[in-house]
Amino acid sequence: MAICREVTTQAADTAMSLNDMLKPSTHCQVPLDRWVEFFVKDWLVPNFRPAFRAAQWPVDQVMRGLEGFLHAVPFYAMTIFFVAVAWRFAGRGVAIFTLVSFLAIEAVGVYPDTMTTLSMIITAVLFCAIVGIPLGILSASSDRFEAILRPILDVMQTIPSFVYLVPIVMLFGVGMIPGVVATIIFALPPIIRLTSLGIRQVREELVEAGYAFGSTRRQVLWEIQLPLALRMIMAGLNQTLMMALSMVVVAALIGAGGLGLTVYTGLGRLDVGAAFLGGFGIVLLAIILDRITQGIGAGAEQRRANWTFTGFVKRITGFARA
Amino acid sequence: MQKLTVKNLYKIFGAAPEEALVMARNGAGKDEIYRKTNSVVAVNDISFTVNRGEIFVVMGLSGSGKSTLVRCLNRLIDPTSGEIYLDGDDKAGSVTAADGENLRQIRLRRISMVFQHFALLPHRTVAENAAYGLKARGMSAKERRDRAVHSLSKVGLDAWADAYPGNLSGGMQQRVGLARALAVDPEVLLMDEPFSALDPLIRREVQDQLLKLQDEIKTTIIFITHDLQEALKLGDQIAIMKDGKFVQVGTAEGIVSQPSDDYVRAFTSDVDRSRVLTPRRMMQPALPAAEMAGLGKVRADSYLCDVFGDLSTGRKLAVVDDDGSYLGVLDPLSVFAHLQATENSTGIGGRA
């Protein structure tokens, strides 16, 4: 394959402006688009499609199981469960909000779609945690690993999700599971970053104390670093959750169902009402999940540590060291 | 009886420690080595021995390498060169030669540590913190709690066993740190500026408590500080550290009365000897109990300046500990003679 496309020779005949002369494309056009196409279509897909298909198997299992379960639970039981969880972790206000939201979602007729979306979100966040927390731990313990990982995460966070929808369809096909896979890729960075940050900001002296008393690396990780990074990890999980929710509509483009599909079809038919219903469900679900996970994060801190407020602020700001 | 022996210890931070090590061995200074090799010599040819039951204080300003030195002793930082031994100098007791598992055993059972900012786990109770070293050993929950509470009672905090560190004052937190270190019943206790983060009043209180505790447990302590008063108060031996080297090693009296160079003299010049020296340091061996009973009493760990009233009578005094048992005899004449001599030797104009 030629590296450059043929450059039109006419340009050389006519008097060339300095501007044109200095443009790389006058002399050599780089066909990056064709290279990428070649890489994905002729190398990645034929060689690795079975591997990617196999990799989506666990996602598939969890997703189907969860979706079946959430749809099987009666509406009132699900509502009671969420209200109870909200009350326990986030207080009475959030509990009342949760109750009203669930009733509203059911009343406008998007409850089944909401459950489908919820199962997608939970699956995506679960796999993000399974993959992301170990990667965050590794990245905290090795500067070299972090140096490699950081640009990859930067790309994952900045690249528009539409860009990788095409290769995902080629590798995974269309449907619910490819949608979840796209969501996992999009929502993974925060949990990795914040796990790493949380572990790195544990005071050096505490880690030293662990080793000084004969702890192994594993003991230091489990008894000192992870508990003290817990709040930060929970914040990462919350961020991951929010990003997963924002992918719901995009995932519908490649065949995922749920509230995203309602918005997408509404968009296609210029059906303002349907699109609004989807958005209504997504927003309410987002607020409920955000408040509950934030509550769990803060609660975990209080129950485990019973810290004074100032002590907590000091630790977060790293001030205790000074 | 030698408990800890350190021989020719070096620690060099930087990309090329070998080159810097050669230069340091040939007597090049810290600045010169840094200019030429871009490596920092934190610990430069340190050798010392500490006897069982002694408090060995390393006093130095920030950047002198004292924190690096103490971390080399339990190999939180691996020394670049040199030897560290427990109990004499045979290979079996070598800390520097210990591999992963042996080093872990040394840390679990023989050397423990107290940290400047306490380093307590905020999500564990006081008792769980005190039991930390025992848990790493794999001791059962009940046994380690019993031992942790016993250790806490030594520092007077057994009533706080189920509180969290965040609810304790700084002085109390450091006593928990001390209880944690003592719970493993260590042969050597490393203390890295343990009282520096405390208020002056509290600091004095915990210093007294440490001395009292030391009378009981008689462990071997390596104590790091930047505070000369603290060094003089606590140390059986005191090493003054500067730029990675010991510039003088000696007793409190030796340091204040015969500073080895201008650096040490500058430190000690404004030290009031009567506030440094205690009856315990100045006393002579006790007389038979019958004779002691007739004498006036002074506390062993009060300062001379606090007992000038008693001394001014000119009569000998019995030195007692807090329980009232006799430790020795204090002779006012020798005390005043000593104070006068040291004052002259280090006063304005320097020594003759």
Side-chain angles (χ1 to χ4, degrees), chain A residues 194-277:
Chain A
L194 288 175
T195 300
S196 174
L197 180 65
I199 291 176
R200 279 177 185 269
Q201 70 158 28
V202 171
R203 275 169 44 214
E204 176 66 20
E205 208 185 45
L206 282 162
V207 176
E208 273 187 334
Y211 288 121
F213 283 93
S215 292
T216 58
R217 272 186 73 139
R218 180 179 302 228
Q219 285 171 327
V220 169
L221 179 68
W222 282 100
E223 290 172 8
I224 298 175
Q225 291 175 314
L226 282 180
L228 292 178
L230 188 67
R231 192 185 165 83
M232 202 59 99
I233 295 173
M234 286 305 294
L237 209 61
N238 174 275
Q239 288 293 303
T240 288
L241 184 74
M242 291 300 107
M243 288 183 72
L245 264 164
S246 70
M247 268 296 276
V248 161
V249 178
V250 177
L253 291 180
I254 56 171
L259 294 169
L261 188 63
T262 312
V263 175
Y264 180 53
T265 48
L267 187 68
R269 295 178 195 153
L270 286 181
D271 183 345
V272 180
F276 179 81
L277 282 191

Coordinates of all heavy atoms in Angstrom, one line a residue, chain A residues 194-277:
Chain A
L194 N -9.4 7.6 40.0 CA -9.7 7.9 41.4 C -9.2 6.8 42.4 O -8.8 7.1 43.5 CB -11.1 8.3 41.6 CG -11.5 9.7 41.0 CD1 -13.0 10.0 41.1 CD2 -10.7 10.8 41.7
T195 N -9.2 5.6 41.9 CA -8.6 4.5 42.7 C -7.1 4.8 42.9 O -6.6 4.8 44.0 CB -8.8 3.1 42.1 OG1 -10.2 2.9 42.0 CG2 -8.2 2.1 43.0
S196 N -6.5 5.1 41.8 CA -5.0 5.4 41.9 C -4.7 6.6 42.7 O -3.9 6.5 43.6 CB -4.5 5.6 40.4 OG -3.2 6.0 40.5
L197 N -5.5 7.6 42.5 CA -5.3 8.9 43.3 C -5.5 8.6 44.8 O -4.8 9.0 45.6 CB -6.2 10.0 42.8 CG -6.2 11.3 43.5 CD1 -4.8 11.9 43.3 CD2 -7.3 12.2 43.0
G198 N -6.6 7.9 45.1 CA -7.0 7.6 46.5 C -5.9 6.8 47.2 O -5.5 7.1 48.3
I199 N -5.3 5.9 46.5 CA -4.2 5.1 47.1 C -2.9 5.9 47.2 O -2.3 5.9 48.3 CB -3.9 3.8 46.3 CG1 -5.1 2.9 46.5 CG2 -2.6 3.1 46.8 CD1 -5.0 1.6 45.7
R200 N -2.7 6.7 46.2 CA -1.4 7.5 46.3 C -1.5 8.6 47.3 O -0.4 9.0 47.8 CB -1.2 8.2 44.9 CG -0.5 7.2 43.9 CD -0.3 7.9 42.6 NE 0.2 6.9 41.6 CZ 1.5 6.8 41.4 NH1 2.4 7.5 42.0 NH2 1.9 5.9 40.5
Q201 N -2.7 9.1 47.7 CA -2.7 10.1 48.7 C -2.8 9.6 50.1 O -2.8 10.4 51.0 CB -3.8 11.1 48.4 CG -5.2 10.5 48.6 CD -6.2 11.6 48.9 OE1 -6.1 12.7 48.3 NE2 -7.2 11.3 49.6
V202 N -2.8 8.3 50.3 CA -2.6 7.8 51.7 C -1.3 8.2 52.2 O -0.3 8.1 51.5 CB -2.8 6.3 51.7 CG1 -2.4 5.7 53.0 CG2 -4.2 5.9 51.3
R203 N -1.2 8.8 53.4 CA 0.0 9.3 53.9 C 1.1 8.3 53.9 O 1.0 7.2 54.4 CB -0.2 9.9 55.3 CG -0.7 11.3 55.2 CD -1.1 11.8 56.6 NE -0.1 11.4 57.6 CZ -0.4 11.0 58.8 NH1 -1.7 11.0 59.2 NH2 0.5 10.7 59.7
E204 N 2.3 8.7 53.4 CA 3.4 7.8 53.3 C 3.8 7.2 54.6 O 4.1 6.0 54.7 CB 4.6 8.6 52.7 CG 6.0 7.9 52.7 CD 6.0 6.8 51.6 OE1 5.1 6.8 50.7 OE2 6.8 5.8 51.8
E205 N 3.6 8.0 55.7 CA 4.0 7.5 57.0 C 3.2 6.3 57.4 O 3.6 5.4 58.1 CB 3.8 8.6 58.0 CG 4.8 8.5 59.2 CD 4.5 9.6 60.2 OE1 3.3 9.8 60.6 OE2 5.5 10.1 60.7
L206 N 1.9 6.3 57.0 CA 1.0 5.1 57.4 C 1.4 3.9 56.7 O 1.4 2.8 57.2 CB -0.4 5.5 57.0 CG -1.2 6.4 58.0 CD1 -2.4 7.0 57.3 CD2 -1.6 5.6 59.2
V207 N 1.8 4.0 55.4 CA 2.3 2.9 54.6 C 3.6 2.4 55.3 O 3.8 1.2 55.5 CB 2.5 3.2 53.2 CG1 3.1 2.1 52.4 CG2 1.2 3.7 52.6
E208 N 4.5 3.3 55.6 CA 5.8 3.0 56.3 C 5.5 2.2 57.6 O 6.1 1.2 57.9 CB 6.6 4.2 56.6 CG 7.4 4.7 55.5 CD 8.3 5.9 56.0 OE1 7.9 6.6 57.0 OE2 9.4 6.1 55.4
A209 N 4.5 2.7 58.3 CA 4.2 2.1 59.6 C 3.8 0.6 59.4 O 4.2 -0.3 60.1 CB 3.1 2.8 60.3
G210 N 3.0 0.4 58.3 CA 2.6 -1.0 58.0 C 3.8 -1.9 57.8 O 3.9 -2.9 58.4
Y211 N 4.7 -1.4 56.9 CA 5.9 -2.2 56.7 C 6.8 -2.3 57.9 O 7.4 -3.4 58.2 CB 6.7 -1.6 55.5 CG 6.1 -1.8 54.2 CD1 5.7 -0.7 53.4 CD2 5.8 -3.1 53.7 CE1 5.1 -0.9 52.1 CE2 5.1 -3.3 52.5 CZ 4.8 -2.2 51.7 OH 4.2 -2.3 50.5
A212 N 6.9 -1.2 58.7 CA 7.8 -1.3 59.9 C 7.3 -2.3 60.9 O 8.1 -2.8 61.6 CB 7.8 0.1 60.5
F213 N 6.0 -2.6 60.9 CA 5.5 -3.6 61.8 C 5.4 -5.0 61.2 O 4.7 -5.9 61.6 CB 4.2 -3.2 62.4 CG 4.3 -2.2 63.5 CD1 4.2 -0.9 63.2 CD2 4.6 -2.6 64.8 CE1 4.4 0.1 64.2 CE2 4.8 -1.6 65.8 CZ 4.7 -0.3 65.5
G214 N 6.1 -5.2 60.0 CA 6.2 -6.5 59.4 C 5.1 -6.9 58.5 O 5.0 -8.1 58.2
S215 N 4.3 -6.0 58.1 CA 3.2 -6.3 57.2 C 3.8 -6.6 55.8 O 4.8 -6.1 55.4 CB 2.2 -5.2 57.0 OG 1.5 -5.0 58.2
T216 N 3.1 -7.5 55.1 CA 3.4 -7.8 53.7 C 2.8 -6.8 52.8 O 1.9 -6.0 53.3 CB 2.9 -9.2 53.3 OG1 1.5 -9.2 53.5 CG2 3.6 -10.3 54.2
R217 N 3.2 -6.7 51.6 CA 2.6 -5.8 50.6 C 1.0 -5.9 50.6 O 0.3 -5.0 50.6 CB 3.1 -6.0 49.2 CG 4.4 -5.3 48.9 CD 4.7 -5.5 47.5 NE 3.9 -4.8 46.6 CZ 4.3 -4.1 45.6 NH1 5.5 -4.1 45.2 NH2 3.4 -3.4 44.8
R218 N 0.6 -7.2 50.6 CA -0.8 -7.5 50.5 C -1.5 -6.9 51.8 O -2.6 -6.3 51.7 CB -1.0 -9.0 50.4 CG -2.5 -9.4 50.3 CD -2.6 -10.9 50.2 NE -1.8 -11.3 49.0 CZ -2.3 -12.1 48.1 NH1 -3.5 -12.6 48.3 NH2 -1.6 -12.5 47.0
Q219 N -0.9 -7.1 52.9 CA -1.5 -6.6 54.2 C -1.6 -5.1 54.1 O -2.6 -4.5 54.6 CB -0.8 -7.1 55.4 CG -1.0 -8.6 55.7 CD -0.1 -9.1 56.8 OE1 1.1 -8.7 56.9 NE2 -0.5 -10.0 57.6
V220 N -0.5 -4.5 53.7 CA -0.6 -3.0 53.6 C -1.7 -2.5 52.7 O -2.4 -1.6 53.0 CB 0.8 -2.5 53.1 CG1 0.8 -1.0 52.8 CG2 1.9 -2.7 54.2
L221 N -1.8 -3.2 51.5 CA -2.8 -2.8 50.6 C -4.2 -3.0 51.2 O -5.0 -2.0 51.1 CB -2.7 -3.7 49.3 CG -3.8 -3.4 48.2 CD1 -3.5 -2.1 47.6 CD2 -3.7 -4.5 47.1
W222 N -4.5 -4.1 51.8 CA -5.9 -4.4 52.2 C -6.2 -3.7 53.6 O -7.4 -3.3 53.8 CB -6.1 -5.9 52.4 CG -6.3 -6.5 51.1 CD1 -5.4 -7.2 50.3 CD2 -7.6 -6.5 50.3 NE1 -6.0 -7.6 49.1 CE2 -7.3 -7.2 49.1 CE3 -8.8 -6.0 50.5 CZ2 -8.3 -7.4 48.1 CZ3 -9.8 -6.2 49.5 CH2 -9.5 -6.9 48.4
E223 N -5.2 -3.5 54.4 CA -5.5 -3.0 55.7 C -5.3 -1.5 55.8 O -5.8 -0.8 56.7 CB -4.7 -3.7 56.8 CG -5.2 -5.1 57.0 CD -4.3 -5.9 57.9 OE1 -3.4 -5.3 58.5 OE2 -4.5 -7.1 58.0
I224 N -4.5 -1.0 55.0 CA -4.1 0.5 55.1 C -4.6 1.2 53.8 O -5.4 2.2 53.9 CB -2.6 0.7 55.4 CG1 -2.3 0.0 56.7 CG2 -2.3 2.1 55.4 CD1 -0.8 0.0 57.0
Q225 N -4.1 0.8 52.7 CA -4.3 1.7 51.5 C -5.7 1.7 51.0 O -6.3 2.7 50.8 CB -3.3 1.2 50.4 CG -1.9 1.6 50.7 CD -0.9 1.0 49.7 OE1 -1.0 -0.1 49.3 NE2 0.0 1.8 49.3
L226 N -6.3 0.5 50.9 CA -7.7 0.5 50.3 C -8.7 1.1 51.3 O -9.5 1.9 50.8 CB -8.1 -1.0 49.9 CG -7.5 -1.5 48.6 CD1 -7.9 -2.9 48.3 CD2 -7.9 -0.6 47.5
P227 N -8.7 0.8 52.6 CA -9.6 1.4 53.4 C -9.5 2.9 53.4 O -10.5 3.6 53.4 CB -9.3 0.9 54.8 CG -8.6 -0.4 54.6 CD -7.9 -0.2 53.3
L228 N -8.3 3.5 53.4 CA -8.1 4.9 53.4 C -8.4 5.5 52.1 O -8.7 6.7 52.0 CB -6.7 5.3 53.9 CG -6.5 4.9 55.3 CD1 -5.0 5.2 55.7 CD2 -7.4 5.6 56.3
A229 N -8.4 4.7 51.0 CA -8.7 5.3 49.7 C -10.2 5.1 49.4 O -10.7 5.5 48.3 CB -7.9 4.6 48.6
L230 N -10.9 4.4 50.3 CA -12.3 4.0 50.0 C -13.2 5.1 49.5 O -14.0 5.0 48.6 CB -12.9 3.3 51.2 CG -14.3 2.7 51.0 CD1 -14.1 1.5 50.1 CD2 -14.9 2.2 52.3
R231 N -13.1 6.3 50.2 CA -14.0 7.4 49.9 C -13.7 7.8 48.4 O -14.6 8.1 47.7 CB -13.8 8.5 50.8 CG -14.9 9.5 50.6 CD -14.7 10.8 51.5 NE -15.6 11.8 51.0 CZ -16.9 11.9 51.3 NH1 -17.4 11.0 52.2 NH2 -17.6 12.8 50.8
M232 N -12.4 7.9 48.1 CA -12.1 8.3 46.7 C -12.5 7.3 45.7 O -13.0 7.6 44.6 CB -10.5 8.4 46.7 CG -10.0 9.3 45.6 SD -10.6 11.0 45.7 CE -9.3 11.8 46.5
I233 N -12.4 6.0 46.1 CA -12.9 4.9 45.1 C -14.4 5.0 44.9 O -14.9 4.9 43.8 CB -12.5 3.6 45.7 CG1 -10.9 3.4 45.7 CG2 -13.1 2.4 44.8 CD1 -10.4 2.2 46.4
M234 N -15.1 5.3 46.0 CA -16.6 5.5 45.9 C -16.9 6.7 45.0 O -17.8 6.7 44.2 CB -17.2 5.7 47.3 CG -17.3 4.4 48.1 SD -18.1 3.0 47.3 CE -19.8 3.6 47.1
A235 N -16.1 7.8 45.1 CA -16.3 8.9 44.3 C -16.1 8.6 42.8 O -16.8 9.0 41.9 CB -15.4 10.1 44.7
G236 N -15.1 7.7 42.6 CA -14.8 7.3 41.2 C -15.9 6.4 40.7 O -16.3 6.5 39.5
L237 N -16.5 5.6 41.6 CA -17.6 4.7 41.2 C -18.8 5.6 40.8 O -19.5 5.3 39.8 CB -18.0 3.8 42.3 CG -18.5 2.4 41.9 CD1 -17.6 1.7 41.1 CD2 -18.9 1.6 43.2
N238 N -19.0 6.6 41.6 CA -20.1 7.5 41.3 C -19.9 8.2 40.0 O -20.9 8.3 39.2 CB -20.2 8.6 42.5 CG -21.2 9.7 42.2 OD1 -20.9 10.6 41.5 ND2 -22.4 9.5 42.7
Q239 N -18.7 8.7 39.7 CA -18.4 9.3 38.4 C -18.6 8.3 37.2 O -19.2 8.7 36.2 CB -17.0 9.8 38.4 CG -16.7 11.0 39.2 CD -17.4 12.2 38.7 OE1 -17.2 12.6 37.5 NE2 -18.3 12.8 39.5
T240 N -18.2 7.1 37.4 CA -18.3 6.1 36.4 C -19.8 5.8 36.1 O -20.3 5.7 35.0 CB -17.6 4.8 36.9 OG1 -16.2 5.0 36.8 CG2 -18.0 3.6 36.0
L241 N -20.6 5.8 37.2 CA -22.0 5.6 37.1 C -22.7 6.7 36.3 O -23.5 6.5 35.4 CB -22.6 5.5 38.5 CG -24.1 5.2 38.6 CD1 -24.4 3.8 38.3 CD2 -24.6 5.6 40.0
M242 N -22.3 7.9 36.6 CA -22.9 9.1 35.9 C -22.5 9.1 34.4 O -23.3 9.4 33.5 CB -22.4 10.4 36.5 CG -23.0 10.7 37.9 SD -24.8 10.7 37.9 CE -25.2 9.2 38.7
M243 N -21.3 8.7 34.1 CA -20.8 8.6 32.7 C -21.6 7.5 32.0 O -21.9 7.6 30.8 CB -19.3 8.4 32.6 CG -18.6 9.7 33.0 SD -16.8 9.6 32.9 CE -16.6 9.6 31.1
A244 N -21.8 6.4 32.7 CA -22.5 5.3 32.0 C -23.9 5.7 31.7 O -24.4 5.4 30.6 CB -22.6 4.1 33.0
L245 N -24.5 6.5 32.6 CA -25.9 7.0 32.3 C -25.9 7.9 31.1 O -26.9 7.9 30.3 CB -26.4 7.8 33.5 CG -27.3 6.9 34.4 CD1 -27.5 7.6 35.7 CD2 -28.7 6.7 33.8
S246 N -24.8 8.7 30.9 CA -24.8 9.6 29.8 C -24.6 8.9 28.4 O -24.7 9.5 27.4 CB -23.7 10.7 30.0 OG -22.5 10.1 29.9
M247 N -24.2 7.6 28.5 CA -24.0 6.8 27.3 C -25.3 6.1 26.8 O -25.3 5.5 25.8 CB -22.9 5.8 27.5 CG -21.5 6.2 27.2 SD -21.3 6.6 25.4 CE -21.0 5.0 24.8
V248 N -26.3 6.2 27.6 CA -27.5 5.4 27.4 C -28.1 5.7 26.0 O -28.4 4.7 25.2 CB -28.6 5.7 28.5 CG1 -30.0 5.2 28.0 CG2 -28.2 5.0 29.7
V249 N -28.2 7.0 25.6 CA -28.8 7.3 24.3 C -27.8 6.9 23.2 O -28.3 6.3 22.1 CB -29.1 8.8 24.2 CG1 -29.6 9.1 22.8 CG2 -30.1 9.2 25.3
V250 N -26.5 7.1 23.4 CA -25.5 6.7 22.3 C -25.6 5.2 22.1 O -25.5 4.8 20.9 CB -24.1 7.2 22.8 CG1 -23.1 6.7 21.7 CG2 -24.1 8.7 22.9
A251 N -25.7 4.5 23.2 CA -25.7 3.0 23.0 C -26.9 2.6 22.2 O -26.9 1.5 21.5 CB -25.7 2.4 24.4
A252 N -28.0 3.3 22.3 CA -29.2 3.0 21.5 C -28.9 3.0 20.0 O -29.6 2.3 19.3 CB -30.3 3.9 21.9
L253 N -28.0 3.8 19.6 CA -27.6 3.9 18.2 C -27.2 2.6 17.6 O -27.3 2.3 16.5 CB -26.5 4.9 18.0 CG -26.8 6.4 18.2 CD1 -25.5 7.2 17.9 CD2 -27.9 6.8 17.3
I254 N -26.6 1.8 18.5 CA -26.1 0.5 18.0 C -27.0 -0.7 18.5 O -26.5 -1.8 18.7 CB -24.6 0.2 18.3 CG1 -24.3 0.3 19.8 CG2 -23.7 1.2 17.5 CD1 -22.9 -0.1 20.2
G255 N -28.2 -0.3 18.9 CA -29.1 -1.4 19.1 C -29.4 -1.7 20.6 O -30.1 -2.7 20.9
A256 N -28.9 -0.9 21.5 CA -29.3 -1.1 22.9 C -30.7 -0.6 23.1 O -31.1 0.4 22.5 CB -28.3 -0.5 23.8
G257 N -31.4 -1.3 24.0 CA -32.8 -0.8 24.3 C -32.9 0.1 25.4 O -32.0 0.8 25.8
G258 N -34.1 0.1 26.0 CA -34.3 0.9 27.2 C -34.7 2.4 26.9 O -35.2 2.7 25.9
L259 N -34.4 3.2 27.9 CA -34.8 4.6 27.8 C -34.1 5.3 26.6 O -34.6 6.2 26.0 CB -34.5 5.4 29.1 CG -35.3 5.0 30.3 CD1 -34.7 5.5 31.6 CD2 -36.7 5.4 30.2
G260 N -32.8 4.9 26.4 CA -32.1 5.5 25.3 C -32.8 5.3 23.9 O -32.9 6.2 23.1
L261 N -33.4 4.1 23.8 CA -34.1 3.8 22.5 C -35.3 4.6 22.4 O -35.6 5.1 21.3 CB -34.4 2.3 22.5 CG -35.0 1.8 21.2 CD1 -34.0 1.9 20.1 CD2 -35.5 0.3 21.4
T262 N -36.0 4.9 23.5 CA -37.2 5.8 23.5 C -36.8 7.1 23.0 O -37.4 7.7 22.1 CB -37.7 5.9 24.9 OG1 -37.9 4.6 25.5 CG2 -39.1 6.6 24.9
V263 N -35.6 7.7 23.5 CA -35.2 9.0 23.0 C -34.8 8.9 21.6 O -35.2 9.8 20.8 CB -34.0 9.4 23.9 CG1 -33.4 10.7 23.3 CG2 -34.3 9.6 25.3
Y264 N -34.1 7.9 21.2 CA -33.6 7.8 19.8 C -34.7 7.6 18.8 O -34.7 8.3 17.8 CB -32.6 6.5 19.7 CG -32.0 6.3 18.4 CD1 -31.3 7.3 17.7 CD2 -32.1 5.1 17.8 CE1 -30.8 7.1 16.5 CE2 -31.5 4.9 16.6 CZ -30.9 5.9 15.9 OH -30.3 5.7 14.7
T265 N -35.7 6.8 19.1 CA -36.8 6.7 18.1 C -37.6 8.0 18.1 O -38.1 8.4 17.0 CB -37.7 5.5 18.5 OG1 -38.0 5.5 19.9 CG2 -37.0 4.2 18.2
G266 N -37.8 8.6 19.3 CA -38.5 9.9 19.3 C -37.8 10.9 18.4 O -38.4 11.6 17.7
L267 N -36.5 10.9 18.5 CA -35.7 11.8 17.6 C -35.9 11.5 16.2 O -36.1 12.4 15.4 CB -34.2 11.6 18.0 CG -33.2 12.5 17.4 CD1 -33.3 13.9 17.9 CD2 -31.7 12.0 17.7
G268 N -35.9 10.2 15.8 CA -36.0 9.8 14.4 C -37.4 10.2 13.9 O -37.5 10.6 12.7
R269 N -38.4 10.1 14.7 CA -39.8 10.4 14.2 C -40.2 11.8 14.5 O -41.3 12.2 14.3 CB -40.8 9.4 14.8 CG -40.6 8.0 14.4 CD -41.6 7.1 15.2 NE -41.2 5.7 15.1 CZ -41.5 4.9 16.1 NH1 -42.2 5.3 17.1 NH2 -41.2 3.6 16.0
L270 N -39.3 12.6 15.0 CA -39.6 14.0 15.4 C -40.7 13.9 16.4 O -41.6 14.8 16.4 CB -39.9 14.9 14.2 CG -38.7 15.3 13.4 CD1 -39.1 16.2 12.3 CD2 -37.7 16.0 14.3
D271 N -40.7 12.9 17.3 CA -41.8 12.7 18.3 C -41.3 13.3 19.6 O -40.6 12.7 20.4 CB -42.1 11.3 18.4 CG -43.2 11.0 19.4 OD1 -43.6 11.9 20.2 OD2 -43.8 9.9 19.4
V272 N -41.6 14.6 19.8 CA -41.0 15.3 20.9 C -41.4 14.7 22.2 O -40.7 14.5 23.2 CB -41.5 16.8 20.9 CG1 -41.0 17.5 22.1 CG2 -41.1 17.5 19.7
G273 N -42.7 14.2 22.3 CA -43.2 13.7 23.5 C -42.5 12.4 23.9 O -42.0 12.3 25.1
A274 N -42.2 11.5 23.0 CA -41.5 10.2 23.3 C -40.1 10.5 23.7 O -39.6 10.0 24.7 CB -41.5 9.3 22.1
A275 N -39.4 11.4 23.0 CA -38.1 11.8 23.3 C -38.0 12.3 24.7 O -37.1 12.0 25.5 CB -37.5 12.8 22.3
F276 N -39.0 13.2 25.1 CA -39.0 13.8 26.4 C -39.2 12.7 27.5 O -38.5 12.7 28.5 CB -40.1 14.8 26.5 CG -40.2 15.4 27.9 CD1 -39.3 16.5 28.2 CD2 -41.1 15.0 28.8 CE1 -39.4 17.0 29.5 CE2 -41.1 15.5 30.1 CZ -40.3 16.6 30.4
L277 N -40.1 11.7 27.2 CA -40.3 10.7 28.2 C -39.0 10.0 28.5 O -38.7 9.7 29.7 CB -41.4 9.7 27.7 CG -42.8 10.1 27.8 CD1 -43.7 8.9 27.5 CD2 -43.1 10.7 29.2

